[in-house]
Amino acid sequence: AAPSQASRSMDPMMLVLLVMAALTISLGATWAVWDTQAARQVEEDGHEEGAHVEMFQVTETMASLFVFAASAFLLVLFFLADYVSYIIIGVFSLGAVSGVYQTLQTVLPLVSRRCPRLQSVVSQLTLLLVSLVPALTWLLCRHLMWAWALQDVLGVLFLVVMLRSVRLPSLRVAAILLSAAFLYDIFWVFLQPHLTQSESVMIHVAGGGDKREPLPLALKVPLFSHNGDHVFDFNRFSILGYGDVVLPGMLCVLMKQFDVFTFPRPARCGYFTWCLVGYVVGMLLTFLALFYNVGGRSGQPALLYLVPCTLGSTLLIARWRGELGAMWMGRGVEGDVKKEDEDMDEESNNEEREGSEVCELESRHQTESETQAFLNA
């Protein structure tokens, strides 16, 4: 959820959040496709080792339990903020190191094509040490005025790696997960404050709680200052939770997989393009809701607008194109490659077995006919 501004004005810096989120999703989807293409090429070359992309696949059970797991995590952050806030900061720092490291590991071979000696000089240990620098810098300087920018860069790389590694196997699982996230966001922003007659737990946690130790769980940008002394007001931030990027982003990654491997078509007509457009529209609706203070709260559940615009538009387009069934079952995406190959091999073996049985029956019938003709003669 993104907190509202102190005054009812549409701050242009909020569009920076939108650009960062859309860029993160685009990079994650592209990287995921590269991984799948590389894995398929290795399999076609007959090499088993290295053929599988290291990824975590979300199951239906996991998607169904999302509301309970996320709510439990949110309550832990709310009631035990003094104890777990620094754990979250440490986990984010490790994730930032991983994000920088994997990015450098991917970019280095591309750069080394123009400078072949570079890859031989730069070792894995060197990449790790370089990756530690920005994470440690943020960790030590996170309270300084400019730290938000470094946190956003590290956050984007962290989210890109998540989108690359965590996959949805089918549109069915995506629908379960996003529907659960849709209800989760609405409850903790709108319903819970009415039920408990208190502030929203989600917005309280996002702002760092009573300790004012902001947790690195969101992209954030300062709003423009109105007093004229400074360009930005570093006491007012607009934030976008990582979940508001990752969850719709996982759907966009799945659509990119379908566009490349299942229903190849020009990019402008692909599911990914329409899904990303839906994400942008959903974010703009979120900004409008903030402007008009929908619900009378200091924040908006972004997934309330993002899920219908991404998942809803995807379901409608797939239904119109007659491809909803295949997408619902997840046919053709990277998780089903081996399964499809095994199914094809099994089907081929069954056909060969049936063919041999037919030939054997025909041969036996012919032999019996010849024997009967000989006896009759």
Side-chain angles (χ1 to χ4, degrees), residues 10-124:
M10 190 69 71
D11 196 291
M13 286 299 292
M14 299 176 71
L15 296 177
V16 177
L17 279 179
L18 174 56
V19 172
M20 283 195 297
L23 179 63
T24 300
I25 293 172
S26 299
L27 290 175
T30 302
W31 200 348
V33 168
W34 287 350
D35 284 343
T36 305
Q37 289 175 333
R40 290 191 172 194
Q41 185 61 48
V42 171
E43 288 183 355
E44 289 176 1
D45 294 340
H47 302 290
E48 289 297 329
E49 295 184 2
H52 306 291
V53 180
E54 292 185 4
M55 67 174 188
F56 178 82
Q57 193 170 84
V58 179
T59 64
E60 288 188 34
T61 302
M62 294 175 187
S64 302
L65 296 176
F66 171 83
V67 171
F68 305 102
S71 297
F73 178 68
L74 185 64
L75 291 174
V76 168
L77 292 178
F78 181 74
F79 289 108
L80 303 176
D82 294 343
Y83 304 99
V84 302
S85 58
Y86 294 105
I87 297 177
I88 299 298
I89 291 173
V91 171
F92 173 79
S93 300
L94 293 176
V97 172
S98 176
V100 175
Y101 178 80
Q102 292 191 46
T103 301
L104 292 176
Q105 198 175 35
T106 302
V107 171
L108 183 61
L110 302 178
V111 177
S112 63
R113 292 177 183 176
R114 295 189 177 184
C115 184
R117 295 183 57 187
L118 181 63
Q119 190 166 6
S120 60
V121 173
V122 179
S123 64
Q124 299 297 316

Side-chain angles (χ1 to χ4, degrees), residues 161-204:
V161 170
M162 284 191 64
L163 291 173
R164 173 201 184 190
S165 306
V166 182
R167 307 285 183 87
L168 294 170
S170 65
L171 189 54
R172 180 179 67 252
V173 176
I176 296 173
L177 177 63
L178 289 175
S179 298
F182 176 81
L183 298 175
Y184 163 83
D185 230 19
I186 293 174
F187 176 82
W188 287 109
V189 175
F190 285 156
L191 299 182
Q192 172 263 314
H194 286 290
L195 295 175
T196 60
Q197 296 299 312
S198 61
E199 68 173 321
S200 168
V201 170
M202 181 179 289
I203 295 176
H204 180 85

Side-chain angles (χ1 to χ4, degrees), residues 50-370:
H52 306 291
V53 180
E54 292 185 4
M55 67 174 188
F56 178 82
Q57 193 170 84
V58 179
T59 64
E60 288 188 34
T61 302
M62 294 175 187
S64 302
L65 296 176
F66 171 83
V67 171
F68 305 102
S71 297
F73 178 68
L74 185 64
L75 291 174
V76 168
L77 292 178
F78 181 74
F79 289 108
L80 303 176
D82 294 343
Y83 304 99
V84 302
S85 58
Y86 294 105
I87 297 177
I88 299 298
I89 291 173
V91 171
F92 173 79
S93 300
L94 293 176
V97 172
S98 176
V100 175
Y101 178 80
Q102 292 191 46
T103 301
L104 292 176
Q105 198 175 35
T106 302
V107 171
L108 183 61
L110 302 178
V111 177
S112 63
R113 292 177 183 176
R114 295 189 177 184
C115 184
R117 295 183 57 187
L118 181 63
Q119 190 166 6
S120 60
V121 173
V122 179
S123 64
Q124 299 297 316
L125 179 60
T126 304
L127 288 180
L128 179 59
L129 294 176
V130 172
S131 303
L132 285 171
V133 173
L136 289 176
T137 301
W138 175 83
L139 184 62
L140 298 174
C141 306
R142 66 183 184 278
H143 295 297
L144 298 182
M145 190 176 297
W146 50 266
W148 65 271
L150 181 57
Q151 177 178 318
D152 283 347
V153 173
L154 296 176
V156 166
L157 295 179
F158 175 60
L159 294 178
V160 167
V161 170
M162 284 191 64
L163 291 173
R164 173 201 184 190
S165 306
V166 182
R167 307 285 183 87
L168 294 170
S170 65
L171 189 54
R172 180 179 67 252
V173 176
I176 296 173
L177 177 63
L178 289 175
S179 298
F182 176 81
L183 298 175
Y184 163 83
D185 230 19
I186 293 174
F187 176 82
W188 287 109
V189 175
F190 285 156
L191 299 182
Q192 172 263 314
H194 286 290
L195 295 175
T196 60
Q197 296 299 312
S198 61
E199 68 173 321
S200 168
V201 170
M202 181 179 289
I203 295 176
H204 180 85
V205 169
D210 298 330
K211 290 184 62 177
R212 307 312 299 171
E213 174 70 61
L215 298 176
L217 298 174
L219 301 175
K220 56 190 294 186
V221 292
L223 303 179
F224 280 115
S225 175
H226 297 290
N227 57 23
D229 295 335
H230 302 282
V231 177
F232 298 112
D233 183 354
F234 293 101
N235 293 317
R236 299 190 309 140
F237 283 87
S238 183
I239 68 175
L240 181 67
Y242 287 162
D244 299 329
V245 181
V246 170
L247 294 175
M250 290 168 63
L251 175 64
C252 290
V253 171
L254 179 63
M255 294 304 103
K256 187 74 171 180
Q257 300 282 337
F258 280 126
D259 286 342
V260 174
F261 302 111
T262 309
F263 307 112
R265 52 172 52 95
R268 66 181 182 276
C269 305
Y271 287 102
F272 172 76
T273 300
W274 287 109
C275 196
L276 190 61
V277 169
Y279 184 86
V280 172
V281 172
M283 284 296 298
L284 294 176
L285 291 176
T286 305
F287 296 156
L288 286 176
L290 284 171
F291 179 76
Y292 289 106
N293 199 23
V294 174
R297 297 290 168 179
S298 60
Q300 290 294 319
L303 293 175
L304 170 63
Y305 312 97
L306 292 174
V307 171
C309 290
T310 54
L311 179 62
S313 62
T314 298
L315 292 173
L316 289 175
I317 295 172
R319 177 68 176 177
W320 177 65
R321 290 176 173 173
E323 298 167 346
L324 181 58
M327 296 174 67
W328 191 256
M329 300 304 296
R331 296 171 189 157
V333 295
E334 76 285 354
D336 289 332
V337 173
K338 249 192 142 177
K339 185 177 183 300
E340 288 180 358
D341 291 342
E342 292 174 356
D343 291 343
M344 291 178 63
D345 291 341
E346 185 177 352
E347 184 178 349
S348 177
N349 292 335
N350 290 336
E351 290 178 354
E352 292 178 359
R353 194 180 302 113
E354 290 175 359
S356 62
E357 290 176 355
V358 170
C359 291
E360 185 178 349
L361 288 174
E362 291 179 350
S363 176
R364 186 182 304 170
H365 180 70
Q366 183 177 359
T367 302
E368 291 176 353
S369 299
E370 292 177 352

